[in-house]
Amino acid sequence: MQSVEVNGRVFDEYVTSQEIAQSVAKVAERINADYAGKAPLMICVLNGAFMYASDLFKQIELSAEITFVRLKSYEGTKTTGDVKLLTPLYVDVKGRDVIVIEDIVDTGLTMHGFVKYLKEQGANSVEITSFLFKPDALQYADAEPKYVGMSIPTKFVLGYGLDYDELGRNLPSLYVLRGN
Ligand code: IMP
Ligand code: MG
């Protein structure tokens, strides 16, 4: 599909599923090399990262574990950078080498708060892999993902797990909002 309409907005195909698969394979290769001999705990941030996490995890050749969390970030005068866990983290991260799996890092607010939380819980190391990264939008240096599928301009994208008003997550390619 060259373009799709979701809730009255038109999105054009931006990255094909074949190109996505290639970039995911490259990330897996880097993680496999960097974590050789280690047993990382991978934490998938729901909902958006489920598709990336599934494709990535199949290519991880380590004795890795995966668990899932839902986060809500909020920015108030006092609460900047705080993140709320909407589901508990069922695995103890103390002493673990954690790799957070995200769909996209935009301002970095969500990852800034979650990385801080994981370190407070005693994680030995925390790195982020994000399928997409918008470097020009980043506001929190500690939220910069080490393992990026692709860096993109500050535009709204859809598909491969990412939604527009909860729709479009099922699209296997990545789409970009027309005229954005
Ligand atoms: P951040 O906390 O500003 O980095 O925002 C991250 C969250 O915003 C992501 O996990 C997404 O849920 C959402 N988000 C940011 N940019 C996009 C986009 O282009 N498409 C869909 N969701 C997005
Ligand atoms: Mg997300």
Side-chain angles (χ1 to χ4, degrees):
M1 267 183 293
Q2 298 286 12
S3 64
V4 291
E5 194 178 321
V6 177
N7 269 355
R9 301 262 182 157
V10 180
F11 294 80
D12 296 307
E13 190 170 42
Y14 186 47
V15 184
T16 65
S17 54
Q18 288 83 356
E19 290 167 326
I20 291 173
Q22 284 168 8
S23 70
V24 175
K26 280 185 197 155
V27 171
E29 219 173 276
R30 288 181 59 205
I31 292 175
N32 285 331
D34 288 1
Y35 286 82
K38 292 185 178 170
L41 170 65
M42 303 183 83
I43 304 178
C44 168
V45 181
L46 297 172
N47 295 330
F50 79 98
M51 210 174 274
Y52 174 51
S54 169
D55 287 344
L56 179 68
F57 198 60
K58 280 182 275 189
Q59 297 180 63
I60 296 299
E61 297 163 349
L62 305 161
S63 63
E65 285 171 57
I66 191 165
T67 190
F68 301 85
V69 72
R70 286 192 74 153
L71 304 175
K72 186 181 168 65
S73 59
Y74 46 96
E75 202 164 14
T77 44
K78 272 182 144 181
T79 57
T80 308
D82 276 349
V83 70
K84 192 174 160 191
L85 276 73
L86 298 179
T87 54
L89 194 54
Y90 291 106
V91 182
D92 187 359
V93 300
K94 203 167 193 314
R96 301 297 305 268
D97 294 309
V98 174
I99 304 172
V100 181
I101 308 177
E102 253 291 30
D103 52 354
I104 187 162
V105 174
D106 187 41
T107 64
L109 175 66
T110 315
M111 281 304 98
H112 165 74
F114 192 48
V115 165
K116 193 171 76 175
Y117 171 83
L118 293 168
K119 287 186 174 160
E120 283 165 7
Q121 298 300 307
N124 180 56
S125 67
V126 182
E127 296 293 354
I128 301 163
T129 178
S130 188
F131 169 57
L132 298 167
F133 177 41
K134 294 179 180 171
D136 300 337
L138 190 72
Q139 288 176 26
Y140 300 87
D142 61 351
E144 184 169 342
K146 179 165 183 182
Y147 306 98
V148 175
M150 34 189 98
S151 291
I152 61 167
T154 310
K155 292 185 173 188
F156 192 83
V157 290
L158 170 84
Y160 195 63
L162 289 102
D163 72 304
Y164 173 56
D165 282 350
E166 292 304 323
L167 295 173
R169 294 193 197 274
N170 49 325
L171 295 164
S173 305
L174 193 71
Y175 291 78
V176 65
L177 181 60
R178 189 179 288 179
N180 154 249

